[in-house]
Amino acid sequence: MVDAAVSAKLAKTLQRFESRIEAGDYYEAHQTLRTIANRYVRSKSYDHAIELINQGALSFLKAKQSGSASDLIFYLLEVYDLAEVKVDETSVGRLAQLLVMVDSSEPNLKDIATGMNNWSIKHSDYKFGDPTLHNVIGTKLLDGGLVYEAERYFMLGTHESVTKYVQLMYEWFVQGDDVSRVAEYFSRLIVNYLFIKNVSYAYIAKDMFLDKFIEKNKPKVDIMDKNGFKMYYFEEFSDLNFLQLLLLTCQVSSKDLFLNLKEHYSDSAEKYKNELAFIGQEYFDIVAPKQSNFLQDMMSGFLGGGM
């Protein structure tokens, strides 16, 4: 009975808030909403506080009041953390809806994305945050021209994110207008997925990227499919061959094959020596002379640091 009364009061509060928004009285609407939300938080009525803040942020976004909307999004994340809201379809969906509506040119966009992901790291079982949220964040950051940040989120996103990540890498490659540098872009896909031990996504990315490359550039290539492994053997791009075989080597977890691969493709191995040092540690228990910190660097980037 008490909860029903509180819900009715919340509905009236939202009604008054919407009236002030429609009248263009944005400052008073913002301050009033925050004051009432604070009362809910102090009384630990977190569900009502979340509902009020979320609806307020949506209303400000619809009214193109990005400053007030951003402030409420950050406040919503504070309440999420205080209430220890777990990552689930509802909690992530609420944030995704807000993020989709945020203008791509919003100055706070990167900080909003970082804040959302920090919450999902803390309140989920995912080391780098929720993949579904990553996919939405990556898409929005890309729309906002933050391509390097978008890459990081796509890499750790969903199956849908793989397509977006491959498209991003391929567009970078095409813009460079230098076919000889194709491995630089292909390697980002393969190596990054290997770093996070997502071999299945690496395979999908491999085929998607190389199919695009072959269709457009018509290089000399033999395509072999043996035991489920599709190998594109290029006459003129040995690095592409090396990276594909590296993926296979990590899948089968063969230390001898890894060492033989490095010896046979010595030029490629030298080019990717730092990456191979980390992969050697993670997949084959080969202790590198100097410990690599790729995952630590990635985590630092997610928590608000640079690339």
Side-chain angles (χ1 to χ4, degrees):
M1 192 73 176
V2 174
D3 190 58
V6 172
S7 295
K9 187 176 180 180
L10 176 61
K12 289 182 180 179
T13 299
L14 285 169
Q15 239 178 4
R16 291 196 300 272
F17 173 78
E18 291 291 347
S19 297
R20 285 172 178 162
I21 290 288
E22 290 172 9
D25 195 356
Y26 302 123
Y27 178 78
E28 185 177 348
H30 185 195
Q31 294 303 309
T32 300
L33 185 143
R34 256 193 167 274
T35 298
I36 297 172
N38 282 337
R39 291 176 191 159
Y40 283 131
V41 171
R42 284 198 298 271
S43 64
K44 296 186 178 181
S45 299
Y46 297 125
D47 288 345
H48 292 97
I50 288 170
E51 178 67 15
L52 180 60
I53 299 166
N54 180 59
Q55 290 302 321
L58 288 172
S59 295
F60 276 125
L61 287 170
K62 290 174 185 175
K64 306 300 181 184
Q65 297 296 306
S66 61
S68 293
S70 296
D71 176 74
L72 291 181
I73 291 172
F74 288 127
Y75 188 28
L76 178 63
L77 291 171
E78 287 179 28
V79 178
Y80 261 25
D81 188 52
L82 187 63
E84 297 184 345
V85 173
K86 299 298 182 186
V87 167
D88 60 24
E89 187 175 343
T90 300
S91 59
V92 170
R94 192 180 286 121
L95 297 185
Q97 182 184 23
L98 289 168
L99 191 58
V100 166
M101 292 182 65
V102 171
D103 193 285
S104 298
S105 61
E106 166 59 42
N108 290 310
L109 178 58
K110 185 177 176 181
D111 290 336
I112 289 172
T114 299
M116 288 183 174
N117 195 59
N118 286 352
W119 161 75
S120 77
I121 290 172
K122 186 175 180 180
H123 296 284
S124 76
D125 294 328
Y126 296 102
K127 184 174 183 179
F128 294 107
D130 180 65
T132 300
L133 190 56
H134 288 157
N135 185 52
V136 179
I137 290 174
T139 303
K140 177 58 70 171
L141 291 173
L142 186 60
D143 289 343
L146 299 168
V147 290
Y148 289 103
E149 290 82 356
E151 178 190 9
R152 186 189 299 123
Y153 285 101
F154 283 148
M155 175 182 60
L156 291 157
T158 61
H159 188 278
E160 180 185 344
S161 306
V162 181
T163 301
K164 296 177 181 179
Y165 190 15
V166 171
Q167 186 61 32
L168 176 61
M169 287 299 103
Y170 195 77
E171 287 177 0
W172 278 359
F173 162 60
V174 172
Q175 289 170 8
D177 198 28
D178 185 351
V179 176
S180 67
R181 298 182 61 189
V182 61
E184 294 181 26
Y185 302 90
F186 182 61
S187 67
R188 290 177 81 122
L189 293 165
I190 301 303
V191 170
N192 282 340
Y193 278 129
L194 287 179
F195 282 172
I196 61 173
K197 294 192 174 182
N198 197 335
V199 173
S200 62
Y201 280 11
Y203 269 99
I204 296 169
K206 170 181 76 73
D207 291 344
M208 289 180 64
F209 185 95
L210 294 180
D211 283 343
K212 287 176 180 288
F213 175 63
I214 292 167
E215 182 180 2
K216 180 175 177 60
N217 295 280
K218 305 295 189 294
K220 294 179 181 179
V221 59
D222 291 324
I223 302 178
M224 299 166 282
D225 197 334
K226 187 175 181 181
N227 297 326
F229 181 75
K230 190 175 183 181
M231 175 74 188
Y232 303 75
Y233 186 82
F234 296 90
E235 289 188 22
E236 301 173 359
F237 302 96
S238 61
D239 283 349
L240 295 182
N241 302 332
F242 168 75
L243 290 163
Q244 291 177 81
L245 292 171
L246 175 63
L247 174 55
L248 176 61
T249 301
C250 291
Q251 182 192 23
V252 300
S253 300
S254 172
K255 181 177 179 180
D256 289 339
L257 188 57
F258 177 68
L259 296 174
N260 289 338
L261 180 64
K262 288 172 63 178
E263 182 177 353
H264 184 75
Y265 285 91
S266 57
D267 289 343
S268 298
E270 178 62 25
K271 188 178 299 183
Y272 300 105
K273 63 180 181 180
N274 291 331
E275 292 85 349
L276 292 177
F278 182 77
I279 289 172
Q281 291 172 191
E282 294 297 304
Y283 287 85
F284 310 108
D285 294 323
I286 300 173
V287 179
K290 183 179 180 181
Q291 295 294 310
S292 302
N293 295 311
F294 289 104
L295 292 184
Q296 290 170 321
D297 292 344
M298 190 188 304
M299 179 65 84
S300 174
F302 269 113
L303 296 175
M307 279 291 288

